[in-house]
């Protein structure tokens, strides 16, 4: 089965190719991936099954046990973990939203600090717990209930 290229409208032929995938500094070459390759421009089109297989393998890398994960991450690994660009990581450093340590020309970040940005530490926001605040909240809610009842 031949397909038409989505870029140049040339003829695409099914072939087995090698795809490079991975996570952070780790890279994996997967050989024998079936893909459609354009004879004109070299564009590649994959079937959904092949994409799913590559995603599953990459996810396996990302979900390694905690003991096998590095404690320190570089800019690229941090960007990958946060799912942002490396420029966003640099912007976060500059604005003070991200704390890192510079070794020579390279930035390093503690994995636990980066993961804490992703996973909120508290499920709810706390507010002043004085009796006065609760009384204020109660009176506000009572006023809302009264308004609803008069409109019904």
């Amino acid at each position: 089965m031949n397909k038409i290229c989505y870029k140049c409208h040339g003829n695409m032929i099914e072939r087995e190719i090698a795809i490079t995938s991975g996570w952070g500094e780790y890279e994996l070459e997967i050989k024998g991936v079936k893909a459609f390759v354009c004879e004109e421009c070299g564009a590649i089109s994959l079937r959904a099954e092949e994409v799913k297989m590559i995603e599953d393998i990459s996810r396996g890398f990302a979900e390694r046990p905690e003991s096998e994960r590095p404690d320190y991450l570089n800019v690229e690994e941090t960007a990958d973990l946060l799912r942002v660009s490396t420029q966003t990581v640099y912007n976060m450093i500059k604005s003070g939203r991200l704390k890192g340590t510079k070794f020579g020309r390279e930035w390093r970040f503690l994995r636990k600090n980066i993961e804490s940005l992703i996973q909120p530490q508290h499920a709810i926001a706390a507010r002043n717990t004085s009796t006065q605040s609760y009384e204020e909240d109660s009176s506000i809610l009572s006023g809302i209930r009264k308004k609803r009842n008069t409109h019904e």
Side-chain angles (χ1 to χ4, degrees), residues 19 21-22 30 46 48-63:
I19 297 282
S21 181
I30 305 168
L46 299 170
E49 307 87 46
E50 302 292 322
V51 172
K52 172 118 176 62
M53 180 263 309
I54 293 166
E55 286 176 350
D56 290 344
I57 291 171
S58 296
R59 189 176 301 112
F61 259 110
E63 295 173 353

Side-chain angles (χ1 to χ4, degrees), residues 26 64-70:
Y26 303 102
R64 292 190 327 260
E66 189 68 33
S67 61
E68 293 179 18
R69 293 183 179 187

Side-chain angles (χ1 to χ4, degrees), residues 8-149:
C8 72
H9 305 291
N11 190 36
M12 297 186 91
I13 299 176
E14 189 172 24
R15 295 189 183 152
E16 283 191 5
I17 63 169
I19 297 282
T20 302
S21 181
W23 176 80
E25 69 185 67
Y26 303 102
E27 200 170 79
L28 176 70
E29 184 178 44
I30 305 168
K31 296 179 180 178
V33 177
K34 292 181 182 173
F36 287 95
V37 180
C38 179
E39 294 177 306
E40 301 293 321
C41 69
I44 297 170
S45 176
L46 299 170
R47 289 193 171 117
E49 307 87 46
E50 302 292 322
V51 172
K52 172 118 176 62
M53 180 263 309
I54 293 166
E55 286 176 350
D56 290 344
I57 291 171
S58 296
R59 189 176 301 112
F61 259 110
E63 295 173 353
R64 292 190 327 260
E66 189 68 33
S67 61
E68 293 179 18
R69 293 183 179 187
D71 289 334
Y72 290 93
L73 304 173
N74 63 24
V75 172
E76 290 79 18
E77 292 165 333
T78 300
D80 192 39
L81 189 59
L82 293 174
R83 303 214 188 275
V84 297
S85 69
T86 55
Q87 184 59 53
T88 299
V89 172
Y90 288 119
N91 292 344
M92 292 173 77
I93 295 166
K94 188 175 182 179
S95 69
R97 292 179 291 155
L98 193 60
K99 302 291 183 218
T101 305
K102 198 163 186 184
F103 293 99
R105 297 177 135 189
E106 294 284 324
W107 282 96
R108 294 289 184 258
F109 308 91
L110 272 173
R111 171 182 289 283
K112 66 180 182 178
N113 293 347
I114 303 306
E115 288 176 344
S116 72
L117 293 173
I118 300 168
Q119 302 163 351
Q121 299 298 315
H122 305 288
I124 59 170
R127 69 173 276 154
N128 186 346
T129 57
S130 71
T131 308
Q132 182 182 5
S133 295
Y134 288 121
E135 289 171 1
E136 288 174 21
D137 290 348
S138 179
S139 68
I140 292 169
L141 292 172
S142 295
I144 292 171
R145 284 189 204 110
K146 286 178 187 174
K147 285 182 183 178
R148 282 189 185 159
N149 290 338

